[in-house]
Amino acid sequence: MNINAIVPLSKARYQRCCECDLLFSLPPLSRKQAAYCPRCNAKVVLGRDWSMTRLTAIAVAMLLLMPFAFTEPLISIRLLGTRINASLMEGIWQMSSQGDPITASMVAFCTIGAPLTLALSLLYLRFGSALGMNLRPVLLMLERLKEWVMLDIYLIGMAVAAIKVKEYADIQMGSAMIAYLTLTLLSILTLIHLNLEQLWERYYSQEQRAGNPETLLVCLACHYTGFQDQRGRCPRCHVPIHHRQPHSLQKTWAALIAAMVLLFPANLLPISIVYVNGARMEDTIFSGVVSLATSGNIPIAAIVFIASVLVPFTKVIVLLMILFSIHFKTPHSLKTRIRLLRLVAWVGRWSMLDLFVISLMMSLVNRDQLLSFTMGPAAFYFGSAVILTILAVKWLDSRLIWDAHATGNAEYAD
Ligand SMILES: [Zn+2]
Ligand SMILES: [Zn+2]
């Protein structure tokens, strides 16, 4: 039998929603059909898939493009009679040597580490399955990797950096731009069409055992609905499954409080420092936005304001609101809370934009005494706060919101 011919969900099966824990029966679906949770409208079945052959071809193309896209110049400028090139690697290197290596490694992970891991994982799946290797860790990692591939955000970062530099110099597109654009497009297409559920079905197909459907549990790691095995693990991916994620609230609170503390130095200390003819000029996140706006770049100022100021603060407020609603079992506005949580989970990664801009500026505007640009101490605090808020959203078991809502409603009715 051809292994590619397995049609997913050829018969009905029970499924629990990963977000609200509703148990429902999933009818047989064709490859292109998507399925949504009847209660919270979360997407349960993706309805897209690309064959492993196509994904492998794309992974190879991405790996071939990476050396050019990462090391060759993306933007080049003429500054004080000299030509300066900025490449992704150069930016990270400057950030590491003039600023600090931790902030530089945050940028490196989101722009080089995650895309590289994505391409290598796809190749591992293709050849590992032929060689009978354990594919579970790679499938589990791919699920978590998706939001850390930030090539698209770096692209917007380039546009912002170009507009900021335009005040000092003429800008030209570098030779790696085409390779970078193609790489970004391929990574976005891969992430849209990568259907992990179907890959799990193909490599580790599971029959749903007979039993009381009420005791079925959904695995948050691989989204399989089934009974725990003898060791309390998911039968498909072997990660322990629980009725609710253990310590979800404690972990979310810890990450959120740490992020809130870090947001103070992130916004009060200078994030970038410019030296013009020996004079030092400091900019905080907010004053940077204001100076962009006053120099007439309103759209760019708006993008930076949304990504660096509005999104992190909205995220903190939404998470606080949801955590309090769980603790106080609020019966009201459940739909709004769920929508807000999905929104902040979706836009959260865009906050890394400012760090990418800084990394590019550091490699472009670097003429020693005459004109130079370097990062301020706020960059590290800001990057850490953004990563912590992304983790806080990840660690929050959204089923707890529904539990609290149900108990709240019951108490309210009494
Ligand atoms: Zn649901
Ligand atoms: Zn699982």
Side-chain angles (χ1 to χ4, degrees):
M1 190 179 80
N2 178 1
I3 196 157
N4 285 321
I6 294 174
V7 180
L9 287 185
S10 48
K11 54 183 180 185
R13 68 157 196 230
Y14 285 110
Q15 177 76 43
R16 264 190 198 282
C17 171
C18 289
E19 290 189 25
C20 75
D21 212 31
L22 179 76
L23 180 73
F24 56 95
S25 167
L26 202 59
L29 294 172
S30 76
R31 289 185 89 97
K32 297 279 170 230
Q33 270 179 309
Y36 296 86
C37 166
R39 182 163 71 175
C40 75
N41 213 26
K43 210 167 197 175
V44 182
V45 176
L46 193 58
R48 293 175 198 272
D49 70 321
W50 271 0
S51 69
M52 210 52 226
T53 318
R54 192 182 290 183
L55 289 173
T56 315
I58 289 182
V60 172
M62 282 170 71
L63 286 175
L64 291 175
L65 286 169
M66 277 177 196
F68 300 102
F70 292 161
T71 59
E72 295 293 309
L74 291 165
I75 322 177
S76 59
I77 60 167
R78 289 194 75 80
L79 186 65
L80 311 173
T82 345
R83 193 179 177 80
I84 307 170
N85 295 321
S87 72
L88 207 160
M89 285 287 227
E90 177 67 23
I92 292 167
W93 171 244
Q94 289 290 342
M95 203 171 201
S96 169
S97 53
Q98 296 179 46
D100 78 291
I102 303 172
T103 318
S105 52
M106 293 178 201
V107 175
F109 174 71
C110 301
T111 53
I112 298 177
L116 186 65
T117 317
L118 175 71
L120 292 176
S121 308
L122 291 172
L123 288 185
Y124 180 91
L125 287 181
R126 177 71 187 81
F127 297 105
S129 65
L131 298 168
M133 287 151 89
N134 183 8
L135 309 177
R136 286 192 182 91
V138 176
L139 286 167
L140 287 171
M141 189 190 55
L142 273 173
E143 181 73 48
R144 286 177 198 163
L145 192 69
K146 283 186 171 182
E147 58 192 324
W148 298 101
V149 180
M150 298 194 187
L151 293 172
D152 47 348
I153 302 172
Y154 194 84
L155 190 66
I156 304 296
M158 271 190 251
V160 177
I163 284 170
K164 282 191 168 184
V165 174
K166 220 165 66 178
E167 292 174 28
Y168 311 107
D170 293 329
I171 308 157
Q172 278 179 331
M173 210 164 81
S175 55
M177 202 54 170
I178 303 294
Y180 185 85
L181 284 174
T182 319
L183 179 65
T184 308
L185 193 69
L186 289 178
S187 78
I188 293 172
L189 285 174
T190 309
L191 291 175
I192 290 176
H193 288 274
L194 180 67
N195 189 334
L196 284 167
E197 175 60 29
Q198 280 194 11
L199 292 177
W200 277 112
E201 275 297 306
R202 176 180 303 169
Y203 298 125
Y204 297 101
S205 184
Q206 293 282 327
E207 274 292 313
Q208 206 163 44
R209 283 193 289 124
N212 177 10
E214 288 301 320
T215 59
L216 283 167
L217 291 177
V218 64
C219 166
L220 289 191
C222 76
H223 301 179
Y224 178 71
T225 302
F227 299 104
Q228 288 175 319
D229 66 4
Q230 292 86 345
R231 288 155 67 183
R233 303 177 309 172
C234 164
R236 187 161 74 174
C237 71
H238 294 179
V239 168
I241 33 177
H242 306 277
H243 175 61
R244 297 291 177 261
Q245 286 304 94
H247 313 302
S248 160
L249 289 179
Q250 290 91 323
K251 280 159 76 181
T252 309
W253 268 119
L256 183 63
I257 291 168
M260 280 159 65
V261 170
L262 289 170
L263 276 176
F264 282 99
N267 282 281
L268 297 173
L269 294 176
I271 194 157
S272 60
I273 301 159
V274 189
Y275 293 92
V276 186
N277 295 323
R280 180 186 163 107
M281 290 193 294
E282 293 180 346
D283 257 328
T284 61
I285 294 178
F286 194 75
S287 71
V289 173
V290 171
S291 68
L292 265 176
T294 47
S295 62
N297 296 308
I298 303 290
I300 291 293
I303 292 175
V304 177
F305 177 76
I306 293 171
S308 325
V309 183
L310 200 61
V311 170
F313 281 103
T314 316
K315 229 170 145 170
V316 166
I317 292 167
V318 167
L319 277 169
L320 276 176
M321 196 175 84
I322 287 174
L323 285 171
F324 281 120
S325 83
I326 292 173
H327 286 284
F328 297 114
K329 303 188 173 43
T330 321
H332 310 294
S333 60
L334 175 72
K335 284 238 164 73
T336 318
R337 274 180 276 146
I338 299 290
R339 285 206 193 105
L340 283 172
L341 181 63
R342 281 182 195 157
L343 182 73
V344 295
W346 182 67
V347 295
R349 54 204 275 286
W350 281 89
S351 303
M352 291 298 279
L353 182 71
D354 228 19
L355 290 190
F356 298 163
V357 175
I358 291 169
S359 142
L360 277 160
M361 295 284 287
M362 282 174 82
S363 59
L364 280 175
V365 187
N366 185 14
R367 288 292 92 192
D368 299 324
Q369 306 298 311
L370 291 170
L371 183 60
S372 77
F373 182 99
T374 189
M375 67 183 236
F380 165 74
Y381 298 112
F382 183 72
S384 314
V386 170
I387 288 174
L388 281 165
T389 55
I390 295 179
L391 290 175
V393 174
K394 274 247 102 96
W395 286 335
L396 179 67
D397 189 340
S398 64
R399 297 174 294 185
L400 295 170
I401 306 173
W402 292 84
D403 292 348
H405 177 73
T407 19
N409 262 345
E411 283 169 12
Y412 196 68
D414 284 342

